[in-house]
Each structure stands twice: as C-alpha cells, then as structure tokens.
C-alpha cells in the first residue's frame, strides 16, 4: 500500500493505538479527530478530505469513530427505553457520519493499485447473531453502517478494482466507549492489542474480500 495512511477518530482509544502502530511501522499518518471534522457536518468532512488530498494519495483509510453512550444516551435494555433524540444521535454518528466519510474519502484511494478503507463496526450490529436483544439504537446504527460499507464496496469495484472496503468488529476493547458495558466473561483487550490484530489482518486482505464484515483476525461475521 502507499505510505500515506489516514486515521479518522484518532483521539479515541483504538484510533490512537492505530496511529501509534502505523507510525512505528514507518507510515506517514494523518490523524483526524473532532477538532478536524464534525461527523454531523458534511462540509467539515469534505474540507478534511480536501486537506488529505493535498498531502498525497492514501493507501489506507481507517474510520474508528462511534458512540454508544453519553449525556442523555444509554444502551436500551428494553424497547420502552427508546428515545427518538438518542436514536437519531446514534445514527448520525455511527451510520450517517461514516457514510459521508466514505462519500468524500473513497475517491482519494488510488485506482491502479491495492488500497484499503476499513470502518470499525461492532458484532452487535449483526442481525443473524442477535440473540440477547437490547441496545436498539447501537445495534441498528451499526447494522446500517455495515450495509453502507457493503454497498460502497460494490460501487468501488467498478472504479477502483484493486481497492478494498470492509467493516471490522475489533472485539471488546478497554476504551471510554465500552467503559461500564463490558460483560463478565468477555475477553477485554487493550487498544494496542486490537490495533495490532486489525493491522495484521488488513495487510492480508485481498480485493475479493471487499464488502466483507470481519472480526479483527479476518474471520467473517454473519450479517
């Protein structure tokens, strides 16, 4: 891949670890965070893409953004807890924002060689794997993100046949996003562990895998 890499969500736990690993590997890395773009403001996303384009052609773009909880927003245990504003916030950050990132950043990938754009999704976004229920807004918004990535991959094949667009479940990671919600018995990783596994898998991806939903080791997750 080209030397230039972009990490969107660089101020988060996984995003920061991805930046550290890429820089340690000698990559030139552009980190973008809330200071650089607002996921609810398409103009700010377009401006950030323009700044990256002026730096060169990225061979790797990682979208490590997302929201699970915050002021006035908690994972729902029952449908009675649904709140329209909180659900709209989840979709704005977890699905619509990343979709707009793909709109403006996918065209930056090289057309004549291998490149990767990966979005961090979540296994709870799998419809087939949903056996516990709950977490309506987060589940639904991540399922929407998976569909966006899959659809973008189909379109990307027509213009960038060697490029790869995938969605990843990074596992349960010790970050502020999962703080207080990691269940007993789950393997909780440090961000550096998740970043290393993700990057190792990305290095092995083949264009035939574009459009896939994978865990951090590259195993497919059911839709």
């Amino acid at each position: 891949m080209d030397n230039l890499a972009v990490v969107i969500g660089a101020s988060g736990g996984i995003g920061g670890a991805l930046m550290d690993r890429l820089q340690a590997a000698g990559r030139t890395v552009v980190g973008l965070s809330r200071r650089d773009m607002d996921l609810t403001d398409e103009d700010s996303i377009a401006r950030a893409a323009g700044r990256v384009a002026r730096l060169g052609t990225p061979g790797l773009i990682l979208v490590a953004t997302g929201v699970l909880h915050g002021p006035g927003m908690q994972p729902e245990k029952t449908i009675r807890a649904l709140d329209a504003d909180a659900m709209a916030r989840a979709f704005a950050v977890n699905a619509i924002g990343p979709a707009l990132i793909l709109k403006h950043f996918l065209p930056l990938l090289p057309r004549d060689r291998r490149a990767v754009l990966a979005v961090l999704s979540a296994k709870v976004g799998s419809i087939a794997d949903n056996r516990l229920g709950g977490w309506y807004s987060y589940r639904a918004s991540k399922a929407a993100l998976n569909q966006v990535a899959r659809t973008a991959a189909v379109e990307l094949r027509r213009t960038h046949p060697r490029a790869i667009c995938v969605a990843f479940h990074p596992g349960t990671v010790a970050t502020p996003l999962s703080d207080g919600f990691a269940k007993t018995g789950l393997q909780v990783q440090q961000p550096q562990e998740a970043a290393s596994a993700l990057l190792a898998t990305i290095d092995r991806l083949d264009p035939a895998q574009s459009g896939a939903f994978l865990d951090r080791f590259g195993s497919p997750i059911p839709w």
Side-chain angles (χ1 to χ4, degrees):
M1 289 184 292
D2 291 1
N3 189 56
L4 180 63
V6 180
V7 177
I8 300 171
S11 61
I14 300 179
L18 288 166
M19 282 198 62
D20 290 344
R21 288 289 187 265
L22 288 165
Q23 289 171 335
R27 299 289 291 267
T28 299
V29 187
V30 176
L32 301 173
S33 64
R34 294 183 186 91
R35 296 186 302 272
D36 308 292
M37 69 164 69
D38 178 353
L39 290 182
T40 65
D41 179 356
E42 183 174 357
D43 287 343
S44 76
I45 295 172
R47 288 193 297 271
R51 291 196 296 273
V52 170
R54 289 191 288 273
L55 295 174
T57 302
L60 175 62
I61 301 174
L62 300 168
V63 184
T65 59
V67 63
L68 172 61
H69 59 92
M73 182 181 186
Q74 293 292 322
E76 306 93 348
K77 295 181 180 179
T78 169
I79 200 166
R80 295 189 300 275
L82 275 181
D83 176 83
D85 290 339
M87 196 170 199
R89 172 69 177 164
F91 270 81
V93 174
N94 293 335
I96 300 172
L100 293 173
I101 289 172
L102 267 60
K103 174 183 176 180
H104 292 282
F105 280 80
L106 279 175
L108 305 185
L109 297 176
R111 289 175 176 261
D112 59 346
R113 52 197 182 276
R114 182 183 182 275
V116 176
L117 190 150
V119 299
L120 295 194
S121 183
K123 189 177 181 180
V124 295
S126 167
I127 295 172
D129 190 62
N130 184 357
R131 297 178 179 86
L132 298 177
W135 290 33
Y136 285 88
S137 298
Y138 191 69
R139 285 184 186 276
S141 61
K142 288 297 188 177
L145 172 61
N146 291 344
Q147 184 67 286
V148 166
R150 174 78 172 192
T151 305
V154 172
E155 182 175 349
L156 190 66
R157 288 192 193 104
R158 302 174 189 141
T159 57
H160 298 67
R162 296 181 63 186
I164 302 162
C165 179
V166 291
F168 275 112
H169 168 57
T172 303
V173 184
T175 67
L177 182 142
S178 62
D179 189 28
F181 297 99
K183 295 181 180 179
T184 302
L186 287 179
Q187 179 188 358
V188 180
Q189 321 156 73
Q190 293 303 310
Q192 295 80 5
E193 295 177 78
S196 293
L198 287 165
L199 291 173
T201 297
I202 285 170
D203 282 345
R204 299 192 301 269
L205 288 177
D206 184 270
Q209 293 174 281
S210 189
F213 180 27
L214 308 170
D215 70 13
R216 65 189 184 278
F217 302 116
S219 297
I221 296 176
W223 297 107

